[in-house]
Amino acid sequence: MAAAMALRCGPRSGTCSWQRLGPSARERLARLAGRRGSAAGSNRPGPGGEVRYCAELLRKRDYEGFLCSLLLPAESRTSAFALRAFNVELAQIKDSITQKTIGLMRMQFWRKAVEDMYCDNPPHQPVAIELWKAIKRHNLTKRWLLKIIDEREKNLDDRAYRNMEELETYAENTHSALLYLTLEMLGIRDIHADHAASHIGKAQGIVTCLRATLYHSKRQKVFLPMDICILHGVSQEDFIRANQEKNVRDVIYNIASQAHIHLEHARSFSKNVPVKAFPAFLYTVALEDYLYKIQKVDFNVFHPSLHKKSTLLPLYLYIRSWKKIY
């Protein structure tokens, strides 16, 4: 099963010794690893500490996104913090509410906040203030921000995705939309970059769904595509009980393979994608790392190794950034 997937082990491909990086590169890598004096801490926040707030929120809730943001050009970095912090604010609504009505109210707050940002009247909330600055700085498209809110709102319902296409639509309207906005921050308006962003976002959405399986199963919830579960004769109860039988692993294999296919599609555009766009796609390193690990444990989505923070991820990210590939 594992051999059939034939994942490209991107984070581990190529070599780059610590010594060869040089002093300045090693210092930046140390910052990526989250030591004191990190780039997030060195940014001078505004009067309300908005930049620091966004960076800290990312570091705690989206560590991989935080690392990727640090590797963006300096003129886009704080804007990326704000954009990803906005996504975190929306993402954590679902897990922090007991009633859907409350979730809808919070989504409406952010919907109105975005509208107000484009009228130069952002609410006095740190993420909103920084996102407003990013909108002004990079002329970000409002449609993508509203699409993320709309899709997150639809996802407040506690039900599994009916099929892979439904999961991919959700990923396109959230993760891919974030990448489109990141490209705008980098000044990239290119059809090939957009195609790559679409596939990377879909891969990220699929991997995120897989990674959250253990968390959700402990709460008696399963969101994996039902059509694939039915195909292999697997019930939601199998995941809630952390069943590790072959048919359960076959479900995970099918889903993970789809993420891998999207990554390969994204790379098929790499010769036509402007090199300036590559920093926006560094999240592929984290996706590859997870897909490599889940293949290594024969697609046992509950294996403890899948839920440990990768200590070498900063190094893998730096190498990919240094090589200017995604």
Side-chain angles (χ1 to χ4, degrees), residues 12 22 26 31 51 59 73 81 87 157 188 198 201 204 224 248 255 267 276 279 320 324:
R12 292 156 178 78
R26 290 201 297 269
R31 290 177 178 178
V51 173
R59 189 179 63 80
F81 286 157
N87 183 58
D157 293 321
I188 303 294
S198 176
Q204 186 176 348
L224 299 171
V248 175
I255 297 172
R267 290 197 184 95
K276 189 179 175 183
R320 193 67 64 89
K324 292 182 171 57

Side-chain angles (χ1 to χ4, degrees), residues 1-9 12 249 252-253 256 287-306 312 316:
M1 184 192 299
M5 191 168 181
L7 289 175
R8 170 181 167 183
C9 303
R12 292 156 178 78
R249 289 185 282 113
I252 302 304
Y253 165 75
L287 301 180
E288 282 183 342
D289 189 50
Y290 180 83
L291 291 174
Y292 172 82
K293 288 177 179 176
I294 201 168
Q295 178 185 8
K296 196 172 180 181
V297 298
D298 199 18
F299 302 95
N300 174 11
V301 77
F302 304 106
H303 197 280
S305 66
L306 299 176
L312 291 177
Y316 297 151

